[in-house]
Amino acid sequence: MTVEHPGYLQGCHEEADTLIACHAANAAGNIAVRASDTDGMGILLGMLGRHMANPSDPSYDRLIMECGSGNNRRHIDVSKVASTLESKQEGLAAAIPGLHALTGCDFTTAFYRKGKIKPLNVLEKDATGGFTELFGSLALRDEPDHDKAEEFICALYGMGGIKEVNEARYLKLLRMTGKMDQDSVLADVKRVDCALLPPCAKTVRKKLQRAHYLSILWGRADEPNPADGLHPLKYGWQNSKGYHEPEWYEGPAVPDDVVSGREDNQNTDDPQDDETDLRSQISDDGSSGSEWSDDSDSDIES
């Protein structure tokens, strides 16, 4: 028996998902891969999508993904899925990894109660193709289009026509509270579940950085060393006791002028009537912690 170790199949892959894609990219004919991870499916779809867009790249006769076990074992025709996506909109298959990274995967958080089907529907219904171009370009090292990303998130939260997430967040809060006290702008926040609101602009910026990092990594999955030149600390993560954790945003959670304005309006004659400091009312994830029905999000978007 002769065992060979071709250089183009060696290298450094931290995840099995990218290593599988690397081996598949260097094979020919009918290919079957064994995996059960959504990330792996997205990586393979993106790889096939890029090959469809570039005729000079090699094509596969058929790429099958086997997943499950026992009676639940099934085979997914990845080539057919990629072709179906391309028939709906050019570049859609190549945009899937970026969409998956932004809307939640093994390394990034998801948008609360948005899942995967709704983001894909928003992507498919975009007649301009701008959203598809955005997610396809995340595989490149170029700075992503932050404005287009905010517009996509606004559409995802049912705020079509709005292009800035801060404006969409404010208008959605108005829908949920029915009013806004200009003298105490956060007075009604504890009446709603703030997790139903779109993320603010500074949170979106960091989230997009993390999605950009993963999209570049996945876009280079067919290379021996896809992580060369990439560092998580430059893409929305920070060091914490020797581990990488998400850097949710830069700056304070609540603007100083909002806090100072509320403090000026408080009645200092009776300190027992003072409410808890605003910063302690808002949890780390932006939720007020109050109860909210499962139907509340669909009600306000209808």
Side-chain angles (χ1 to χ4, degrees), residues 74-147:
R74 58 179 179 150
H75 296 84
I76 302 174
D77 192 335
V78 184
S79 298
K80 185 175 181 180
V81 174
S83 299
T84 302
L85 290 172
E86 284 297 302
S87 67
K88 292 183 177 182
Q89 188 175 137
E90 184 179 354
L92 188 56
I96 292 299
L99 178 69
H100 180 52
L102 186 68
T103 56
C105 64
D106 289 351
F107 304 94
T108 60
T109 55
F111 293 103
Y112 181 58
R113 289 179 57 191
K114 297 306 176 185
K116 294 293 183 180
I117 297 178
K118 186 171 183 179
L120 181 59
N121 288 338
V122 172
L123 195 62
E124 291 178 346
K125 292 178 181 178
D126 178 33
T128 66
F131 294 155
T132 299
E133 183 180 354
L134 163 69
F135 290 113
S137 67
L138 287 182
L140 306 175
R141 289 181 178 268
D142 300 336
E143 184 71 15
D145 189 340
H146 292 270
D147 294 337

Side-chain angles (χ1 to χ4, degrees), residues 169 186 200 202 249-256 259 279 282-284:
R169 185 177 174 89
L186 295 182
C200 64
K202 61 183 181 181
Y249 51 80
E250 293 181 349
V254 181
D256 292 336
V259 178
R279 299 188 193 278
I282 302 178
S283 61
D284 291 339

Side-chain angles (χ1 to χ4, degrees), residues 17-277:
D17 297 327
T18 57
L19 182 59
I20 289 173
C22 180
H23 285 188
N26 289 281
N30 294 322
I31 306 170
V33 300
R34 170 70 177 165
S36 58
D37 191 276
T38 308
D39 290 1
M41 179 70 170
I43 294 171
L44 293 174
L45 283 173
M47 184 175 68
L48 290 177
R50 288 188 296 274
H51 289 170
M52 291 177 183
N54 190 349
S56 63
D57 283 348
S59 61
Y60 314 102
D61 294 338
R62 197 178 186 190
L63 179 58
I64 303 293
M65 179 175 174
E66 180 185 342
C67 58
S69 61
N71 293 332
N72 295 320
R73 178 171 295 181
R74 58 179 179 150
H75 296 84
I76 302 174
D77 192 335
V78 184
S79 298
K80 185 175 181 180
V81 174
S83 299
T84 302
L85 290 172
E86 284 297 302
S87 67
K88 292 183 177 182
Q89 188 175 137
E90 184 179 354
L92 188 56
I96 292 299
L99 178 69
H100 180 52
L102 186 68
T103 56
C105 64
D106 289 351
F107 304 94
T108 60
T109 55
F111 293 103
Y112 181 58
R113 289 179 57 191
K114 297 306 176 185
K116 294 293 183 180
I117 297 178
K118 186 171 183 179
L120 181 59
N121 288 338
V122 172
L123 195 62
E124 291 178 346
K125 292 178 181 178
D126 178 33
T128 66
F131 294 155
T132 299
E133 183 180 354
L134 163 69
F135 290 113
S137 67
L138 287 182
L140 306 175
R141 289 181 178 268
D142 300 336
E143 184 71 15
D145 189 340
H146 292 270
D147 294 337
K148 185 59 68 174
E150 288 197 22
E151 185 180 350
F152 171 81
I153 294 173
C154 291
L156 180 61
Y157 279 83
M159 306 297 289
I162 307 298
K163 296 187 177 183
E164 296 181 0
V165 290
N166 284 347
E167 181 182 357
R169 185 177 174 89
Y170 173 74
L171 293 176
K172 200 169 185 69
L173 180 61
L174 287 182
R175 291 185 185 181
M176 297 166 71
T177 61
K179 63 178 181 178
M180 180 62 67
D181 186 349
Q182 296 297 332
D183 294 329
S184 184
V185 294
L186 295 182
D188 294 322
V189 166
K190 55 187 177 182
R191 295 202 307 114
V192 302
D193 185 354
C194 292
L196 297 174
L197 298 173
C200 64
K202 61 183 181 181
T203 301
V204 169
R205 178 168 291 274
K206 290 297 181 180
K207 184 175 179 63
L208 185 60
Q209 285 181 349
R210 292 188 288 274
H212 189 201
Y213 173 87
L214 289 172
S215 297
I216 296 174
L217 187 69
W218 292 345
R220 300 173 57 188
D222 54 354
E223 301 178 10
N225 300 286
D228 276 0
L230 294 176
H231 200 290
L233 297 183
K234 297 181 179 179
Y235 289 90
W237 278 279
Q238 60 185 358
N239 263 327
S240 177
K241 299 179 180 179
Y243 296 92
H244 291 151
E245 66 175 22
E247 183 180 9
W248 300 112
Y249 51 80
E250 293 181 349
V254 181
D256 292 336
D257 56 345
V258 173
V259 178
S260 61
R262 181 181 173 86
E263 292 174 348
D264 293 341
N265 292 329
Q266 286 182 338
N267 182 4
T268 56
D269 295 333
D270 188 4
Q272 297 298 325
D273 294 337
D274 291 346
E275 297 185 22
T276 307
D277 185 83

